[in-house]
Amino acid sequence: ISSCRDLSQKIRKSPDKNENVDLIVDYFSYLRIVNTVDRFLAMARQVSDKLAGVVETRPGTKIARPEDLVRLYDIILQNYADLRDISSLDKDGDIYKMIDLDTLYYRAKRCFYIAECHLGQSNWLNAIVLYDKCAEHVTLTETEAKGIKSKKTAAVLEDLQDLSKQILQPEMFSTRFCLPTNPTQGRGIEGYVKLQRRMRH
């Protein structure tokens, strides 16, 4: 990654300018960003596996938290935003379509783990609204993915189905977390509606 960055800087500073310089710089920028995304995705998978109990947390190591995944997905989404800024990418090409799809996909994942953060802090209304928002992201991403035929989109759609199963609905809160009433009923409904409106703007 660092070698790509250094080479890009050398090319820009080179006195030998020609019409291919920008393309070369963009190419190495693309490689650097993609490698960075892959590295943080590998970290996110490790944290996710720990949270799910697939991988045991060793004594003396940091306990995985939803907040860790929110931070990682923030970085991943910023890198996808940087990819969109690469001028030589064909805005109508398959690569750009996948960048848009991946951006939607990781927004859904990020939103889910923000909801999990609020859930862990017993912020029921915030959690419910964020789960609703996550469901919207999932639906939008599924719609986009169905228009792109590739092995990667098939994997995205499969993962989105798993994510949908984890999204808590309002009626689940009272039974799963032993709340006296549904947190969206009674006086809580006004706060719920206000939060929904705030999240949609």
Side-chain angles (χ1 to χ4, degrees), residues 31-113:
L31 288 181
R32 175 178 58 81
I33 295 170
V34 168
N35 286 333
T36 300
V37 168
D38 287 343
R39 181 161 57 91
F40 280 101
L41 284 176
M43 294 170 63
R45 281 192 291 270
Q46 290 178 348
V47 175
S48 181
D49 286 345
K50 287 183 179 179
L51 281 175
V54 176
V55 176
E56 184 178 352
T57 302
R58 296 178 181 178
T61 59
K62 183 181 177 182
I63 298 175
R65 302 176 304 163
E67 289 88 342
D68 299 329
L69 281 169
V70 172
R71 186 178 69 254
L72 289 171
Y73 285 125
D74 274 336
I75 296 170
I76 290 166
L77 285 168
Q78 180 56 56
N79 276 276
Y80 273 107
D82 293 340
L83 273 179
R84 288 176 61 89
D85 290 337
I86 295 178
S87 58
S88 61
L89 280 181
D90 182 3
K91 299 300 186 289
D92 297 318
D94 291 339
I95 292 178
Y96 210 81
K97 289 177 182 177
M98 286 306 304
I99 291 172
D100 286 344
L101 176 62
D102 285 335
T103 298
L104 291 172
Y105 173 53
Y106 293 118
R107 278 178 185 166
K109 303 271 280 189
R110 176 181 175 274
C111 188
F112 175 79
Y113 286 107

Side-chain angles (χ1 to χ4, degrees), residues 148-162:
I148 305 173
K149 302 297 182 182
S150 73
K151 291 182 179 178
K152 185 173 182 179
T153 54
V156 166
L157 286 168
E158 184 177 348
D159 190 63
L160 287 173
Q161 289 179 355
D162 292 337

Side-chain angles (χ1 to χ4, degrees), residues 176-196:
R176 181 166 174 176
F177 301 102
C178 302
L179 299 180
T181 59
N182 188 316
T184 64
Q185 292 178 345
R187 289 181 296 177
I189 188 65
E190 183 179 353
Y192 174 66
V193 172
K194 286 181 179 179
L195 279 168
Q196 274 195 321

